[in-house]
Amino acid sequence: MTTPLTLHNAHLRMRVDPQGGTLLSLFSLPHQQPILRVGEGKTAGDGGLFPMLPVANRVAGNRFSQCGTEVQLPLYEADDRFFLHGDGWLKRWEVMAATDDSCLLRLRSQLACGYDYQAELQYVLEASVFRASLTIAHLGKRPMLYGCGFHPFFAFDAQSTLQFSASGYWPEGEHHLPLPWQSELPTEADFTRAQYGADRWLNVGYSGWSGQAVIHRDVMKVTISAQTPWLMLFRMPGQSFLCLEPQTHPVNAHHMPGQPGLRMLGPGDRCHFAMEIRVD
């Protein structure tokens, strides 16, 4: 079992577990507060952040059509119905390099459905900014549709507020899949003005996201940035966290007209995605 890496600078400290490429914790030293939920990595997803690849979230029927061929996605112990968030968060990554304030992890994955890739995951602390980046290279002979994202669990309590802009959202339907998109945001899902929101289940996707969201928690300001118009929000009642998940594509994009945000990668092709968390 690989020992988690503890990395830091004068502003931030993080613990990284190669199992799942998981960020177990991210802590602000000046504020003496956790930025992300703290985990021990005892189960998949038990931590503050993990990568989602080669798909983000869920695909209806756990299958999709690609160039006239049906791709049947695998199942893992994480979910009995879907290839949930892909397989990157369930596998052990190899530590390629580590310094006091950064690390580079690598994963090689080959799946019977056609996904055959090598991914590199980098976590970097630069002053009061945490940066996460993911690069995926397709190594299979048959082209495949790729998508990815990051799944952070932000520390969020009754003294916290969240604000971001969006043009609309997909409400949650059966099996956590999206219902038809709508432009009108209900109060509990409308964060165009800073609010704590309702302490209840919420698992929805937004479109037209500006690429920036801000959490205020006591005197700490956390700014999340990513170059994508799609953002997932997940919260559970009675829990002191809130997930804001930047993704390269909306949930179930595989079944949407034009398959928005997904990338068809041929042999040797690459895609890249990055996210930044700034603490003030």
Side-chain angles (χ1 to χ4, degrees):
M1 184 174 179
T2 307
T3 303
L5 306 171
T6 299
L7 311 171
H8 63 88
N9 63 13
H11 302 268
L12 301 170
R13 182 176 66 239
M14 63 178 173
R15 292 178 66 235
V16 180
D17 190 347
Q19 177 59 42
T22 303
L23 191 68
L24 293 176
S25 63
L26 181 64
F27 191 82
S28 171
L29 297 173
H31 297 96
Q32 286 295 295
Q33 286 190 39
I35 301 156
L36 301 176
R37 179 185 71 172
V38 179
E40 296 299 326
K42 293 180 180 178
T43 59
D46 174 23
L49 178 151
F50 60 79
M52 300 182 286
L53 70 154
V55 301
N57 216 280
R58 296 166 174 84
V59 179
N62 212 41
R63 61 171 63 89
F64 62 92
S65 179
Q66 175 182 287
C67 301
T69 302
E70 184 176 84
V71 176
Q72 176 66 57
L73 295 169
L75 289 174
Y76 287 98
E77 68 279 0
D79 194 279
D80 61 2
R81 189 182 295 271
F82 299 102
F83 184 47
L84 180 63
H85 305 318
D87 65 336
W89 68 300
L90 303 173
K91 293 184 175 178
R92 182 169 297 278
W93 295 63
E94 180 182 2
V95 179
M96 303 304 296
T99 65
D100 287 344
D101 56 8
S102 68
C103 64
L104 177 65
L105 310 180
R106 181 178 293 168
L107 175 67
R108 180 76 172 93
S109 180
Q110 293 175 282
L111 303 175
C113 66
Y115 282 116
D116 184 351
Y117 68 87
Q118 181 170 282
E120 290 191 343
L121 176 64
Q122 188 172 42
Y123 295 141
V124 178
L125 302 177
E126 186 175 321
S128 60
V129 177
F130 163 79
R131 292 189 173 92
S133 63
L134 186 61
T135 302
I136 307 170
H138 179 58
L139 303 180
K141 294 181 180 179
R142 179 174 60 134
M144 288 291 289
L145 280 172
Y146 279 83
C148 61
F150 290 103
H151 196 307
F153 296 75
F154 290 95
F156 197 80
D157 56 24
Q159 284 69 53
S160 306
T161 62
L162 167 65
Q163 188 276 324
F164 64 86
S165 61
S167 61
Y169 89 126
W170 289 272
E172 182 183 24
E174 189 178 15
H175 306 312
H176 309 298
L177 292 167
L179 293 172
W181 181 89
Q182 62 183 57
S183 60
E184 185 175 345
L185 299 171
T187 301
E188 68 272 14
D190 185 358
F191 293 92
T192 52
R193 292 185 179 181
Q195 67 157 330
Y196 169 71
D199 182 21
R200 70 171 188 82
W201 179 276
L202 189 62
N203 186 30
V204 298
Y206 295 86
S207 68
W209 179 46
S210 65
Q212 188 170 96
V214 177
I215 291 174
H216 281 278
R217 185 165 175 257
D218 296 327
V219 297
M220 186 168 67
K221 176 184 176 183
V222 178
T223 304
I224 304 97
S225 304
Q227 292 187 335
T228 178
W230 295 293
L231 179 73
M232 278 295 295
L233 188 154
F234 172 61
R235 73 188 303 176
M236 298 173 65
Q239 299 295 316
S240 56
F241 70 79
L242 181 145
C243 297
L244 292 174
E245 309 158 40
Q247 301 180 174
T248 61
H249 61 91
V251 177
N252 203 32
H254 300 74
H255 292 278
M256 293 180 180
Q259 298 176 317
L262 293 169
R263 288 278 307 278
M264 183 71 79
L265 300 185
D269 288 345
R270 297 170 180 266
C271 61
H272 179 79
F273 187 62
M275 180 189 70
E276 178 181 291
I277 299 173
R278 179 181 297 273
V279 183
D280 297 302

